[in-house]
Amino acid sequence: KPMEGRISDIGPRHYTDFLPPVIQKNYGKWLYHEIIEPGVLMHKAESGDEVYTVRVGSARLVSVGLIREICDIADKHCGGHVRWTTRNNVEFMVDSKDKVGPLKDDLMSRKFAGGSYKFPIGGTGASVPNIVHTQGWVHCHTPATDASGPVKVIMDELFKEFQSMELPAPMRLAVACCLNMCGACHCSDIAVVGIHRKPPLIDHEVLENICEIPLAVAACPTAAIRPSKTEFEGKEVKTVAIKEERCMFCGNCYTMCAALPLADAEGDGCAIMVGGKVSNRISNPKFSKVVVAYVPNEPPRWPSLVKTIRQIVDAYKKGANKYERVGDWAERIGWERFFDVTGLEFSKHLIDDFRDPAYYTWRQTTNFKW
Ligand code: SF4
Ligand code: SF4
């Protein structure tokens, strides 16, 4: 239906059309909210109305069948309303406390054939909510690691931390499968970023036809690419040449030119960053720092990656004060000590700039040279 005040009816309908009636009624008039148990929030309105939200984890890349099931649950318990958070948690909202129990029972009774929960409840407060993550090997063209695979195994490992609220503070995790970082890696407590470690291959056969050579040259931040010519099947073709010692494996050129692929089974893997946050509680927002320069890709269960993240989580749980995020904790004890207590190795790859000792900086990007 046309909305009042809208110039046209093109595009998605106005979001207020989709709000549950109790939220429409109390829009902008909320007094406070509290977490009444792990995974369940209560929002109180000035009118006295209450909204109870039950949060469940989701795999983000889900089947149409699972989405239909989510919609059926929303129809059954929530008047047809459901929402996804920015971290891909699914939230079911009901307007009275007596509806929470049946909704929770229904959610926890639904299991996959292997017995795992389809809709595990959790992810609130001092817990690990769903991991913000990107597309991975299935959907994107530049990944150096998968997204859904590492996320699944990390969340399996941290399931207790998802279901309970026993951490010192909320712990936000992110996974981005390349350093374009479509996920929020630069400001997460723990972030996994896919990195390449080898320069692009050059497909001389097709480069001239599928690539704007000046664009590929301009895309390189280190000026490693120059126009070139080569012999291919007896004739001269226009192509590019890459100065490998200048390449930092960022993949910008591949984004511009599909004839410069740099995915490599041995070279690709993950870096781990920690200590970022967007909150300004206790201290200002912070960027994440690289603390592990490389972990190999080990599908399907990424054991080294999972073990390393467990080490960081356990050391944080043991050493942090209440309300301290990972970055606050590391800054209080000192980053040197952070490496001691987590058992991580400090390597030269974690330093950004060796040109002048006065300006050594700690790496906050994953564009670096091996
Ligand atoms: Fe694609 Fe990189 Fe984004 Fe992953 S992080 S979805 S590989 S651009
Ligand atoms: Fe340049 Fe990055 Fe391509 Fe290497 S991967 S050639 S640094 S654009």
Side-chain angles (χ1 to χ4, degrees), residues 187-296:
C187 57
S188 289
D189 294 279
I190 302 180
V192 175
V193 186
I195 53 164
H196 301 285
R197 296 188 307 159
K198 293 192 182 173
L201 298 168
I202 306 170
D203 189 342
H204 297 295
E205 183 182 358
V206 295
L207 191 137
E208 189 181 5
N209 297 324
I210 65 170
C211 173
E212 296 278 356
I213 290 175
L215 214 55
V217 170
C220 180
T222 61
I225 305 178
R226 61 181 166 79
S228 179
K229 288 182 179 156
T230 192
E231 279 273 306
F232 188 80
E233 291 182 345
K235 62 177 191 314
E236 190 183 73
V237 291
K238 283 190 198 163
T239 184
V240 298
I242 294 179
K243 211 175 221 179
E244 295 199 355
E245 64 276 18
R246 281 198 173 192
C247 175
M248 61 176 180
F249 328 124
C250 68
N252 269 5
C253 52
Y254 182 55
T255 301
M256 292 298 162
C257 172
L260 297 172
L262 74 171
D264 181 89
E266 281 172 17
D268 293 354
C270 309
I272 299 177
M273 307 174 83
V274 310
K277 62 168 190 153
V278 288
S279 145
N280 52 14
R281 186 182 201 169
I282 295 184
S283 63
N284 288 334
K286 306 177 200 305
F287 285 124
S288 317
K289 298 179 190 322
V290 181
V291 293
V292 177
Y294 178 71
V295 188

Side-chain angles (χ1 to χ4, degrees), residues 11 25 60 81 96 102 104 107 158 183 189 234 247 259 264 289 330:
K25 181 184 159 201
R60 183 168 183 264
H81 296 277
S96 71
K104 276 178 57 190
L107 290 166
L158 300 180
D189 294 279
C247 175
D264 181 89
K289 298 179 190 322

Side-chain angles (χ1 to χ4, degrees), residues 65-109:
L66 196 81
I67 294 171
R68 284 192 193 285
E69 193 170 340
I70 290 170
C71 295
D72 288 344
I73 297 168
D75 281 340
K76 190 170 157 196
H77 296 274
C78 315
H81 296 277
V82 62
R83 71 183 287 265
W84 270 258
T85 71
T86 50
R87 305 193 84 86
N88 319 307
N89 299 290
V90 184
E91 291 191 341
F92 296 96
M93 282 169 283
V94 289
D95 55 11
S96 71
K97 196 169 187 179
D98 54 313
K99 295 179 183 170
V100 174
L103 170 60
K104 276 178 57 190
D105 292 346
D106 191 358
L107 290 166
M108 293 306 277
S109 70

Side-chain angles (χ1 to χ4, degrees), residues 134-136 140-145 176-183:
T134 52
Q135 315 304 325
C140 196
H141 66 308
T142 54
T145 187
C177 33
C178 87
L179 43 78
N180 281 346
M181 287 196 194
C182 302

